[in-house]
Amino acid sequence: MRLTLSIARRVQWLVGRRPASRAHAELVIAARDWAAARFPGRSACLEASLAAFLLTALTGRAVDWCIGCRFSPAESHAWIETGQRPVGEPDTPDRPFHVTIRI
């Protein structure tokens, strides 16, 4: 995990902080979901959010890659954000995730 986080930080540094628009990030999420549906292996939130983060970086834009948790019930999750708002995630105001790592 340390290696993955290190690579993600370097990618973010190389790309710079030219933020992706919400529409661009949603397009990346749609492309990621299309590819994940055809992938024969495992594709959980960590891999899917990292793929969206890297795909956005390859297009010269930046999003925040977030890893977080919530309690009651205990659960961890990973996602991408633009403008401090999750992209492609269901809205759960009653049990929000708390960001523990943001790149």
Side-chain angles (χ1 to χ4, degrees):
M1 186 66 171
R2 279 188 217 160
L3 178 62
T4 302
L5 293 173
S6 175
I7 290 169
R9 285 186 182 101
R10 288 176 195 221
V11 166
Q12 191 72 289
W13 179 79
L14 288 172
V15 170
R17 292 302 302 177
R18 196 169 103 185
S21 67
R22 185 147 189 93
H24 182 78
E26 288 172 354
L27 185 63
V28 166
I29 293 292
R32 178 210 61 195
D33 291 344
W34 181 87
R38 285 144 184 85
F39 181 67
R42 177 180 182 264
S43 179
C45 63
L46 187 64
E47 295 89 355
S49 62
L50 181 58
F53 172 80
L54 294 174
L55 182 57
T56 306
L58 287 173
T59 63
R61 300 293 181 158
V63 293
D64 291 335
W65 182 39
C66 301
I67 302 171
C69 63
R70 66 178 169 198
F71 305 100
S72 188
E75 185 179 6
S76 61
H77 189 53
W79 65 95
I80 62 167
E81 290 184 350
T82 59
Q84 303 285 321
R85 290 183 41 214
V87 179
E89 295 293 321
D91 189 24
T92 56
D94 58 332
R95 299 179 305 137
F97 283 97
H98 303 282
V99 177
T100 54
I101 298 173
R102 179 186 305 272
I103 296 177

